Amino acid sequence: MLTIIELQLIGAIVLIAAVSIFVSMVRRDNIAALVAVPGLAAVLLGTVAIVGYESFAENASDGPSAIVWQSADIGRSVIVFWLAGGAAIATSAIVSRARPGGKAFRWREGGDLVISGSAALGLLIGASLLTLAGVLVYGAENLLSRSTYIPQPAIPALAAYAGFLLPSGFAISVLVAETTRGAARFLASVLIAVQVLATFAMASRQLALLPLMALAIGYSVRGRASVTRVVSAALASFLALALVVSLREAAAGSHGLGPYVTAVVTGSVVDWSSSGSLVLGNLVFAVPLTGYVADLHEFAWSDLWLSMNPLPSSAAAWAARSPELRVHYFIPFNAVGELSSLSIWLLLVAVVAATLSTYALVNVVAARGSRMVPNLLLMLYYMSFALSLQYNTRSVARFVLAIVALAGLAYASSLVSRSLDLGHGQQASRRLAHASARNVRTARHRRNRTSS
């Protein structure tokens, strides 16, 4: 196996090559570049992990993650990330060169998007239902106060979806706030506050994704993003992630919105002098976790089919199998590690398939002139990538299935709405034709009377 020094040198070369290819895609085809962002992030994560391996392992020496840092083959982990990231970047680069036409789609076309009052009302109702469902699934009492980090949710079979429902409602609320004024915007702002507080009470790392989601939606609405907004979103994501990490350390005996707010008010939340290493260590933790899971070879092909099963855990026998597919009570296996434990080729095929399908879907939607939907699709793609680093294959599969189901419902509703609009349009055309005919007959009758 290569030494740490040799890996660091190779990492510098790999990172420079990845950035160079990425920059060339930005100039030629920005859709390909946006789809390649997870690949670039994977290469960067592997490089950062190998550069700061000793300091990260030292910071994790007294926690549950110490098992992974001490046992995982860091070289194997980093190589897996470089290969997966390289496959994503290479796939995007190849299809960007092969695509006929060659001109990149730009979201800068057109002015700000504006939605109607009825559309805003429908979106607000949807966001409210998603927020309510997320709170009920996770359990309102668990959000307010609980004694353990992992609670007993009100609906155990659906608890995994609570973290998906709240960010989805947040995205809709931000869209309404960006495209409306007055009462609709006020109600959307109230929902945003509730969703942020609920995510904060869950101590979910998705709290750090919310500012980036807001930035992406604002960009899709206006077709532009100021430097101030980009810097503010990046800083807010960093601070949110540091806050969540530190709350787990500071409020180990008591969790929920009440204890966390108390920790913020008393100033005992975080040692800001070490927050940088906490955040980076939490992000880079996915690298040694991947190597650890791959080296265990506990994940079998039968587990892959079980993970893809859309049935609830009890019906799919997942509840009996899942305790064995985790490093620790608090640390499940991650999807990247599970797939690479079966075969590195399986992981690479999955990466290429995800890259190609996302690129094709975004291109099809963008070609129809939409600015909002492509960004939302990319945001969901990024979220699935983040889930694959920290959570198991079953979580990623359920997230993708939920998004496909929601997209199917949205498409079906659009077809129904279109048919209704078409029916109303045909009726209006017939009424207009009858009115025109009456006008012609009336004018002819008047001419006849005048001539006589």
Side-chain angles (χ1 to χ4, degrees), residues 137 153-161 312-314 394 398:
V137 165
I155 310 175
L158 299 177
Y161 287 108
S313 299
S314 56
R394 182 166 175 81
R398 293 171 89 180

CSV table of all heavy atoms in Angstrom, one decimal, residues 137 153-161 312-314 394 398:
chain,number,residue,atom,x,y,z
A,137,VAL,N,-44.5,12.9,12.1
A,137,VAL,CA,-43.7,11.6,11.9
A,137,VAL,C,-42.5,11.6,13.0
A,137,VAL,O,-42.3,10.5,13.6
A,137,VAL,CB,-43.1,11.6,10.5
A,137,VAL,CG1,-42.0,10.5,10.4
A,137,VAL,CG2,-44.2,11.3,9.5
A,153,PRO,N,-39.8,7.7,17.7
A,153,PRO,CA,-40.7,8.5,17.0
A,153,PRO,C,-42.2,8.1,17.1
A,153,PRO,O,-42.5,6.9,17.5
A,153,PRO,CB,-40.2,8.5,15.6
A,153,PRO,CG,-39.6,7.1,15.5
A,153,PRO,CD,-39.0,6.9,16.8
A,154,ALA,N,-43.1,9.0,16.8
A,154,ALA,CA,-44.5,8.7,16.9
A,154,ALA,C,-44.9,7.6,15.8
A,154,ALA,O,-45.7,6.8,16.1
A,154,ALA,CB,-45.3,10.0,16.6
A,155,ILE,N,-44.3,7.6,14.7
A,155,ILE,CA,-44.6,6.7,13.6
A,155,ILE,C,-43.2,6.0,13.2
A,155,ILE,O,-42.6,6.5,12.3
A,155,ILE,CB,-45.3,7.3,12.4
A,155,ILE,CG1,-46.5,8.2,12.9
A,155,ILE,CG2,-45.8,6.3,11.4
A,155,ILE,CD1,-47.1,9.0,11.8
A,156,PRO,N,-42.8,5.0,13.8
A,156,PRO,CA,-41.4,4.4,13.6
A,156,PRO,C,-41.2,4.1,12.1
A,156,PRO,O,-40.1,4.3,11.6
A,156,PRO,CB,-41.4,3.2,14.5
A,156,PRO,CG,-42.4,3.5,15.6
A,156,PRO,CD,-43.5,4.3,14.9
A,157,ALA,N,-42.2,3.5,11.5
A,157,ALA,CA,-42.0,3.0,10.1
A,157,ALA,C,-41.7,4.2,9.1
A,157,ALA,O,-41.1,4.0,8.1
A,157,ALA,CB,-43.2,2.2,9.6
A,158,LEU,N,-42.2,5.4,9.5
A,158,LEU,CA,-42.0,6.5,8.6
A,158,LEU,C,-41.0,7.6,9.1
A,158,LEU,O,-40.8,8.6,8.5
A,158,LEU,CB,-43.3,7.3,8.4
A,158,LEU,CG,-44.4,6.4,7.7
A,158,LEU,CD1,-45.7,7.2,7.7
A,158,LEU,CD2,-44.1,5.9,6.4
A,159,ALA,N,-40.3,7.3,10.2
A,159,ALA,CA,-39.4,8.3,10.8
A,159,ALA,C,-38.3,8.7,9.9
A,159,ALA,O,-37.9,9.8,10.0
A,159,ALA,CB,-38.8,7.7,12.1
A,160,ALA,N,-37.8,7.8,9.0
A,160,ALA,CA,-36.7,8.2,8.2
A,160,ALA,C,-37.1,9.3,7.2
A,160,ALA,O,-36.3,10.0,6.7
A,160,ALA,CB,-36.3,6.9,7.4
A,161,TYR,N,-38.4,9.4,7.0
A,161,TYR,CA,-38.9,10.4,6.0
A,161,TYR,C,-39.0,11.8,6.6
A,161,TYR,O,-39.2,12.8,5.9
A,161,TYR,CB,-40.2,10.0,5.4
A,161,TYR,CG,-40.0,8.9,4.4
A,161,TYR,CD1,-40.5,7.6,4.7
A,161,TYR,CD2,-39.4,9.1,3.2
A,161,TYR,CE1,-40.4,6.6,3.8
A,161,TYR,CE2,-39.3,8.1,2.2
A,161,TYR,CZ,-39.7,6.8,2.6
A,161,TYR,OH,-39.6,5.8,1.7
A,312,PRO,N,-42.3,-1.0,4.0
A,312,PRO,CA,-41.8,-0.6,5.3
A,312,PRO,C,-40.8,-1.6,5.9
A,312,PRO,O,-40.8,-2.8,5.5
A,312,PRO,CB,-43.1,-0.5,6.1
A,312,PRO,CG,-44.2,-0.3,5.1
A,312,PRO,CD,-43.7,-1.0,3.9
A,313,SER,N,-40.1,-1.2,6.9
A,313,SER,CA,-39.0,-2.0,7.4
A,313,SER,C,-39.5,-3.3,8.0
A,313,SER,O,-38.9,-4.4,7.8
A,313,SER,CB,-38.3,-1.3,8.6
A,313,SER,OG,-37.7,-0.1,8.1
A,314,SER,N,-40.7,-3.3,8.6
A,314,SER,CA,-41.2,-4.6,9.2
A,314,SER,C,-41.6,-5.6,8.1
A,314,SER,O,-41.3,-6.7,8.2
A,314,SER,CB,-42.4,-4.2,10.1
A,314,SER,OG,-43.4,-3.5,9.3
A,394,ARG,N,-30.2,2.0,1.9
A,394,ARG,CA,-31.7,2.0,2.1
A,394,ARG,C,-32.2,3.4,2.2
A,394,ARG,O,-33.3,3.8,1.6
A,394,ARG,CB,-32.1,1.2,3.3
A,394,ARG,CG,-33.6,1.1,3.5
A,394,ARG,CD,-34.0,0.0,4.4
A,394,ARG,NE,-35.4,0.0,4.7
A,394,ARG,CZ,-36.4,-0.5,4.0
A,394,ARG,NH1,-36.0,-1.1,2.8
A,394,ARG,NH2,-37.6,-0.5,4.3
A,398,ARG,N,-34.8,5.1,-0.5
A,398,ARG,CA,-36.1,5.6,0.0
A,398,ARG,C,-36.3,7.1,-0.4
A,398,ARG,O,-37.4,7.6,-0.8
A,398,ARG,CB,-36.3,5.4,1.5
A,398,ARG,CG,-36.4,3.9,1.8
A,398,ARG,CD,-36.3,3.8,3.3
A,398,ARG,NE,-37.6,3.8,3.9
A,398,ARG,CZ,-37.8,3.7,5.2
A,398,ARG,NH1,-36.8,3.5,6.0
A,398,ARG,NH2,-39.1,3.7,5.7
